[in-house]
Amino acid sequence: MIELKNVSFTYLSENSDESSAELNGSLSNIDLRIEKGSFVLLTGPSGCGKSTLLRLINGLIPHYYSGKLEGEVVIDGEPVNDKPLCKSAEKIGTVFQNPRSQFFNVDTTSELAFLSENLGVEAEIIKSRIEQTAESFQIKNLLDRSIFHLSDGEKQKIACASIEVGKPEIILLDEPSANLDYHATMQLRKLIAQWVRQGRTVIAAEHRLFYLWDLIDRVVLMDDGKIIKDYNKNELNKLSDNDLSELGLRSAHSPAPTEIELPVVTTDDKTLTINSLRFGYKQGFFNRSKVNNNIIDIHNMELALGKITAITAANGEGKTTFLNCLCGLERRSKDDIIINGAPFKRRNRLNSFFMVMQDTNHQLFTDSVLEEVMISLPEPNEDKALKILESVDLVCYKERHPMALSGGQKQRLAIACAVASERDYILFDEPTSGLDYGHMKEIAALMRQLRNLGKTVIIVTHDSEFIEACCERKVNFVSRG
Amino acid sequence: MSNQQQKKIIGGRDLINIGIFTAIIFIITMAVMPIGFIPVLMPLYCVIIPVVGGIPWMLFATKAKKLGMVFIMSMLLGLLLMLTGMGWYALPVCAVSGIITELILKLGAYKSKKHTVIAHGVFCTWLFGSYIPLIFMADTYWQQNADYGEEFISSAKSIFQIWTAPVLIALCVAFGILGGLLGLKIMKKHFAKAGIV
Amino acid sequence: MLKGDYGKKSFINPITKLVLLVTLPAFLMGGLGGTDAEIFTLIFPLVSLFLLFISKNLKAGMVGLLMYIAVIIAWSVLPSGSDGIFHIILFIVVGIVTGLLPCALMSVYVISSTTASEFITGMKKLFIPDVITIPMSVIFRFFPTVKEEIQAINKAMTMRGIRFGGRNAAGILEYRLIPILMCSLKIGDELSAAALTRGLDSPRKRTNICDTRFRFQDFFLLALCFCAYLVWVLSLFGIHFGEVVKL
């Protein structure tokens, strides 16, 4: 059993004094008891403190993240605060949000063994457990691979498996699906369902509810560092999607994005036509070992101009590569794209497409929000830049460093840059991954704003709610077809 | 405050930080290395790497508050130099420069900005390890590489003499301090503003 | 680096790999043993090529082999002794191909065929402390990460048609280095947190799942390295292998 007794926590960065304490994610007066074998979902808007709560349970607070801690966290009668992290590691496994940063090892099998090796479990036992886990999680094909050749979905599977090899009693999931597409999310669901069936204690912090909804025993709704609602299974069944959106939560019953019905193009639409687009690594003698999951071969795809088009795919292969090819970033793509009856060459596309990447950290370079928009304008013009910032509601942050913004704000800043670039086509790669309901709605409204400015908006997304909220056209993407 | 910070013992988190920053500094070094195939340009190592490396250094310094972290980094760089074929000489040089750097940081209680900048100057002398065979073992070195052609060797020999050793070290220190100052500026402009350090 | 996925089992022991990794540069680039050890400067490149082929790393192996053959042909065909610029370039190329290339190929082999678990075990068996081993494995883990980050940032710069590139060199540096450092820092923090919840700091004696038995090929390669060092040490005492053989 996990007990939090009147716990309050405020983050303190290492070099600052108390006055500059980070309020985001702090907790105040939390009382919570979680029974052994239950599956609890923590949810609430970004920054509500649900990740902080998980960190208190796995011991990262206070042993890794420093701050002011009051109250006590007790697991099976033992207080976590005085237990070193490696002790907690025997009992508690954590899967984190970012698939790129949670592996210590370069190869998958070492990663699976890592925890048990550190804890000094006998080699033969570790080997047989890896064997078992690979069997039950159906990941035999992922053993002995380099993590740099895995998709995000495969990486999350390995992360879950690496936990499983250690046989923890308690499993914590910190937004594990944030970077995953629909297909991979459903696969993740299968693994979590196994844990639930086996009667392990599972605690998940998530925005996306649909894939876990029928497994959950209890939902703890948080806001601003407090628990504001605590639903048991019976109360949950009574909640409709409407109730949820009123609580600022995501829908519990999302259809697969490919099943949403929207036209590809209508007869009145002007279109951009992709007669053919081919991209892929050469399959030569030398490259046999390369994993070819980025091959693209598309014929006769039409995209409506001046509309918001969603691009969805049954599984996530090649979508990002497709966007790269479309906006002209891939030199080796062979394409035949027609706009207004004339060919649309790669060089021209490079100047008329703007892409907002999935990880916006990679595309913000300067030291202030205003400067970021200024360098995107064809001619620096402060008034214009301020006007654009106003439209995305960021004027009050104009002097801030872009990296000091929250995830949703960074997304908006990137959109501001897209507007400033005065380009006609704006591409988005999973703009709502990891965003809560409120921020998702904001982004959806901005999409409509862009459309009203006459831009063609093309969004690769797996977020059904988001598609329903703003998209007008939809293309089901098949990387080879 | 967390237990780890109180203990002042190097833990897993510190070791990972050391690894990351060593990787970054070494990548910068590798990016500059190719100019060394023209030996006449080799002294430029002592200019470019310290200046650019100053930025990750100042960032690392905010993470390296425990005795020994900088020394370990120095030794790792020495090992990497060895693995990339700069010979064994780099290791003792890195050990000495690592210890002195550590002492300077210690004098500043791992806090003083001034000490951190100066420490970078000393730290950068790790680069000197790669010159040792050229300078102190010039005869054997050029014997082995006699194929370069006489004209070439004589010009290289005229550059790498005993007197160049103090000059190179001075270059490392001077540009190391410059790089440290640059790093300090960048820290203020970006990392402090972004609330990261 | 880090090409290809891993085979089930390595051909040689991690300890042998580490010894080779240190020995090759010492003799091929560091010039230990001088003319006495010349024979080893011919053997070691063949060893690294052989290991690449046996680990099915065909691309690196073929590239290495072709360059090696090309240089040997150029060496024997072209007239020597001239002193022109072409000659200098040729010698530089020869120096790279016979010295640097085999060492680089050996690194490719070791990095692509060694799992982290094997690496840590090997280092431990060579009595290298954790404070060196753990950062080392992070370094190897981090090289490809930095590569991914650089690619993503370059892509973003091309896409945005970043115009300040022309303004000054410092700008290019700043706008590239800063995002890389920012992302690295973030990844590093998350990596540490994840590693600590997976027992990185555990004081218990670490076990390992890899096979560290020595097989015939290990003894053979270790003996080869030992001979090379022996020749070097003897030459320090004035006993020259080259002359001994002639006698």
Side-chain angles (χ1 to χ4, degrees):
Chain A
M1 189 169 62
I2 303 165
E3 283 175 285
L4 282 86
K5 296 176 186 165
N6 198 18
V7 176
S8 297
F9 181 78
T10 319
Y11 287 101
L12 282 178
S13 74
E14 278 166 49
N15 304 317
S16 61
D17 49 83
E18 260 179 62
S19 59
S20 63
E22 181 74 50
L23 284 174
N24 224 351
S26 60
L27 294 175
S28 56
N29 305 95
I30 298 281
D31 273 301
L32 187 67
R33 281 162 66 99
I34 294 171
E35 302 297 327
K36 202 178 159 88
S38 59
F39 180 14
V40 180
L41 182 85
L42 304 173
T43 192
S46 311
C48 70
K50 51 189 185 306
S51 298
T52 311
L53 217 159
L54 292 186
R55 288 171 182 168
L56 277 164
I57 297 172
N58 64 20
L60 281 176
I61 295 174
H63 299 293
Y64 184 77
Y65 297 100
S66 48
K68 218 174 81 193
L69 174 66
E70 284 161 40
E72 209 183 7
V73 183
V74 182
I75 296 174
D76 294 337
E78 290 177 68
V80 177
N81 303 13
D82 352 308
K83 226 164 59 168
L85 268 172
C86 52
K87 276 276 166 213
S88 303
E90 292 170 16
K91 201 174 234 178
I92 305 169
T94 314
V95 177
F96 296 86
Q97 175 182 354
N98 190 345
R100 276 188 308 156
S101 65
Q102 56 179 314
F103 299 112
F104 183 84
N105 301 279
V106 179
D107 66 294
T108 51
T109 308
S110 294
E111 187 63 36
L112 293 184
F114 187 63
L115 167 67
S116 307
E117 285 184 339
N118 284 335
L119 297 178
V121 178
E122 249 174 85
E124 288 312 312
I125 297 175
I126 304 178
K127 278 188 201 162
S128 73
R129 281 189 190 169
I130 290 178
E131 201 66 12
Q132 275 170 29
T133 309
E135 187 77 36
S136 62
F137 281 19
Q138 299 174 354
I139 49 159
K140 280 221 162 117
N141 59 329
L142 300 182
L143 294 182
D144 292 310
R145 297 263 300 266
S146 159
I147 57 158
F148 291 96
H149 294 161
L150 301 184
S151 70
D152 283 351
E154 289 168 332
K155 281 184 200 160
Q156 274 324 47
K157 270 193 197 172
I158 291 293
C160 291
S162 74
I163 300 298
E164 176 62 15
V165 171
K167 300 269 176 230
E169 292 162 32
I170 300 166
I171 292 150
L172 307 181
L173 308 162
D174 192 356
E175 295 191 41
S177 78
N179 291 298
L180 304 189
D181 58 50
Y182 186 82
H183 178 74
T185 306
M186 292 323 269
Q187 302 239 314
L188 177 68
R189 180 200 142 87
K190 270 193 205 159
L191 306 188
I192 298 173
Q194 269 192 42
W195 281 327
V196 174
R197 267 203 308 277
Q198 290 163 4
R200 315 264 195 109
T201 311
V202 183
I203 307 172
E206 259 295 3
H207 293 301
R208 298 168 81 192
L209 308 180
F210 69 92
Y211 78 104
L212 297 174
W213 194 247
D214 56 326
L215 302 171
I216 307 168
D217 296 319
R218 179 178 168 195
V219 170
V220 173
L221 178 60
M222 300 178 62
D223 196 10
D224 209 14
K226 294 191 188 69
I227 294 175
I228 53 170
K229 278 263 167 61
D230 197 336
Y231 298 96
N232 64 26
K233 187 105 190 163
N234 285 333
E235 291 167 314
L236 284 179
N237 291 334
K238 285 177 201 143
L239 287 175
S240 70
D241 276 357
N242 252 342
D243 298 331
L244 288 172
S245 61
E246 258 166 50
L247 289 165
L249 295 181
R250 293 244 178 169
S251 149
H253 314 282
S254 270
T258 39
E259 284 160 19
I260 298 171
E261 296 210 1
L262 281 172
V264 176
V265 283
T266 62
T267 43
D268 319 332
D269 285 343
K270 282 194 185 144
T271 60
L272 176 146
T273 310
I274 302 171
N275 282 336
S276 71
L277 194 163
R278 292 160 67 102
F279 177 83
Y281 299 122
K282 267 177 270 162
Q283 277 233 347
F285 174 68
F286 293 140
N287 286 13
R288 267 196 290 192
S289 60
K290 257 220 169 91
V291 188
N292 285 315
N293 51 6
N294 282 324
I295 293 178
I296 286 185
D297 191 354
I298 299 174
H299 301 282
N300 305 325
M301 186 196 260
E302 283 194 303
L303 295 166
L305 297 182
K307 301 281 182 218
I308 306 173
T309 304
I311 295 184
T312 62
N315 75 34
E317 280 181 8
K319 284 189 296 184
T320 303
T321 316
F322 168 70
L323 284 186
N324 287 339
C325 292
L326 188 58
C327 72
L329 280 171
E330 291 292 355
R331 253 170 235 185
R332 286 169 303 159
S333 77
K334 290 210 171 17
D335 48 50
D336 175 10
I337 297 177
I338 306 287
I339 180 100
N340 298 332
F344 202 0
K345 292 269 187 241
R346 192 181 76 84
R347 283 260 155 229
N348 294 335
R349 295 205 304 275
L350 207 47
N351 294 324
S352 19
F353 281 83
F354 190 101
M355 177 155 68
V356 176
M357 298 170 154
Q358 183 169 10
D359 188 348
T360 41
N361 290 323
H362 290 141
Q363 63 180 161
L364 303 175
F365 303 113
T366 62
D367 62 339
S368 81
V369 168
L370 183 62
E371 179 71 16
E372 199 67 49
V373 179
M374 294 277 272
I375 60 158
S376 311
L377 285 163
E379 296 289 330
N381 177 337
E382 197 170 326
D383 293 334
K384 229 180 187 172
L386 284 173
K387 223 172 244 164
I388 294 170
L389 279 178
E390 208 177 316
S391 69
V392 296
D393 210 12
L394 282 175
V395 179
C396 47
Y397 299 113
K398 68 179 165 127
E399 295 301 330
R400 277 267 187 110
H401 196 286
M403 292 298 151
L405 300 175
S406 73
Q409 288 166 339
K410 279 181 196 162
Q411 196 69 245
R412 263 150 50 204
L413 176 57
I415 295 174
C417 293
V419 175
S421 71
E422 296 179 2
R423 298 183 189 178
D424 294 329
Y425 304 87
I426 303 179
L427 306 179
F428 288 87
D429 192 358
E430 305 288 0
T432 57
S433 65
L435 294 190
D436 61 25
Y437 183 77
H439 287 108
M440 184 272 284
K441 281 286 190 192
E442 263 172 30
I443 301 290
L446 282 174
M447 296 292 153
R448 285 191 292 271
Q449 246 184 63
L450 288 175
R451 192 254 338 260
N452 293 342
L453 286 171
K455 311 279 184 200
T456 300
V457 181
I458 298 166
I459 310 168
V460 162
T461 182
H462 55 67
D463 188 337
S464 306
E465 262 181 287
F466 178 65
I467 297 174
E468 284 168 340
C470 70
C471 295
E472 302 156 319
R473 303 284 181 272
K474 192 173 72 95
V475 178
N476 280 344
F477 176 79
V478 186
S479 58
R480 269 160 270 186
Chain B
M1 279 291 116
S2 78
N3 293 345
Q4 281 226 336
Q5 273 171 313
Q6 280 163 8
K7 268 194 264 162
K8 294 278 172 202
I9 292 172
I10 295 175
R13 178 188 205 175
D14 305 307
L15 293 178
I16 290 177
N17 273 327
I18 294 171
I20 287 170
F21 282 94
T22 309
I24 290 171
I25 290 179
F26 195 67
I27 286 169
I28 293 172
T29 311
M30 290 314 276
V32 180
M33 276 294 170
I35 65 167
F37 286 123
I38 308 164
V40 190
L41 295 181
M42 266 176 81
L44 278 180
Y45 289 167
C46 296
V47 176
I48 303 173
I49 299 169
V51 170
V52 180
I55 300 170
W57 168 264
M58 291 308 284
L59 204 53
F60 179 61
T62 64
K63 305 269 166 194
K65 301 284 186 198
K66 292 174 192 168
L67 187 69
M69 285 179 77
V70 169
F71 178 70
I72 294 171
M73 183 192 234
S74 195
M75 292 310 285
L76 283 168
L77 286 169
L79 276 173
L80 287 171
L81 272 188
M82 191 177 90
L83 292 183
T84 46
M86 297 298 163
W88 313 78
Y89 331 103
L91 272 180
V93 173
C94 289
V96 173
S97 73
I99 289 172
I100 301 174
T101 314
E102 199 72 61
L103 283 175
I104 295 175
L105 286 172
K106 180 91 185 147
L107 277 178
Y110 294 91
K111 266 185 192 146
S112 151
K113 294 269 187 288
K114 202 170 85 191
H115 285 81
T116 316
V117 170
I118 294 169
H120 186 235
V122 179
F123 179 76
C124 281
T125 51
W126 72 276
L127 285 165
F128 181 69
S130 54
Y131 296 104
I132 289 182
L134 271 100
I135 295 170
F136 296 104
M137 283 157 260
D139 289 339
T140 19
Y141 183 84
W142 292 119
Q143 222 169 36
Q144 283 158 21
N145 296 285
D147 315 336
Y148 276 119
E150 256 167 57
E151 217 175 303
F152 190 78
I153 291 179
S154 58
S155 70
K157 261 187 173 173
S158 66
I159 296 171
F160 292 104
Q161 292 177 356
I162 297 293
W163 61 264
T164 44
V167 173
L168 288 174
I169 292 178
L171 276 177
C172 283
V173 174
F175 284 95
I177 290 174
L178 196 73
L181 291 171
L182 177 73
L184 202 62
K185 207 180 132 201
I186 295 277
M187 288 288 288
K188 271 198 200 114
K189 189 176 173 200
H190 284 279
F191 295 94
K193 204 177 161 197
I196 288 172
V197 291
Chain C
M1 299 271 204
L2 287 158
K3 289 203 180 75
D5 292 323
Y6 305 102
K8 266 274 169 233
K9 197 181 246 174
S10 285
F11 180 66
I12 55 174
N13 194 296
I15 296 169
T16 316
K17 285 181 192 167
L18 291 173
V19 170
L20 283 172
L21 201 57
V22 173
T23 309
L24 252 68
F27 285 89
L28 295 178
M29 293 167 76
L32 284 192
T35 44
D36 294 320
E38 220 161 32
I39 179 84
F40 292 101
T41 61
L42 294 173
I43 296 174
F44 284 136
L46 296 178
V47 169
S48 59
L49 285 174
F50 172 74
L51 288 173
L52 279 172
F53 279 114
I54 211 151
S55 67
K56 298 205 177 73
N57 206 330
L58 298 179
K59 191 178 184 184
M62 284 305 280
V63 169
L65 186 66
L66 290 176
M67 282 175 79
Y68 209 67
I69 291 172
V71 160
I72 289 171
I73 291 172
W75 194 238
S76 46
V77 171
L78 292 167
S80 59
S82 59
D83 222 11
I85 183 76
F86 173 74
H87 202 66
I88 292 175
I89 293 172
L90 179 69
F91 280 120
I92 293 176
V93 171
V94 169
I96 294 171
V97 172
T98 56
L100 185 71
L101 186 76
C103 299
L105 291 178
M106 183 55 83
S107 312
V108 169
Y109 167 71
V110 171
I111 292 175
S112 69
S113 70
T114 312
T115 66
S117 175
E118 279 177 355
F119 175 75
I120 294 174
T121 311
M123 294 287 270
K124 205 153 254 180
K125 291 248 161 99
L126 292 172
F127 304 105
I128 292 164
D130 272 358
V131 289
I132 295 293
T133 309
I134 291 175
M136 268 293 199
S137 38
V138 174
I139 290 171
F140 291 129
R141 155 81 174 75
F142 221 63
F143 281 147
T145 304
V146 174
K147 192 178 139 204
E148 278 183 355
E149 298 295 309
I150 291 174
Q151 281 170 347
I153 288 162
N154 281 344
K155 206 175 265 175
M157 291 187 106
T158 320
M159 190 273 302
R160 288 182 62 176
I162 292 299
R163 274 167 283 272
F164 43 54
R167 215 195 280 162
N168 55 32
I172 298 177
L173 188 69
E174 186 179 334
Y175 292 116
R176 265 167 217 265
L177 204 54
I178 302 301
I180 292 173
L181 286 174
M182 293 262 187
C183 293
S184 304
L185 216 57
K186 193 167 153 269
I187 290 176
D189 271 348
E190 292 172 5
L191 188 68
S192 311
L196 289 173
T197 63
R198 284 159 171 78
L200 180 66
D201 262 345
S202 170
R204 266 190 239 162
K205 197 169 179 295
R206 202 173 190 282
T207 50
N208 62 80
I209 54 162
C210 53
D211 185 7
T212 49
R213 270 175 307 173
F214 283 91
R215 278 165 288 178
F216 170 73
Q217 52 267 39
D218 295 303
F219 288 117
F220 178 77
L221 289 171
L222 288 174
L224 190 69
C225 295
F226 178 74
C227 290
Y229 286 110
L230 191 66
V231 167
W232 168 55
V233 172
L234 289 179
S235 78
L236 292 181
F237 291 104
I239 305 167
H240 295 289
F241 178 69
E243 290 163 24
V244 173
V245 170
K246 261 175 223 151
L247 284 175

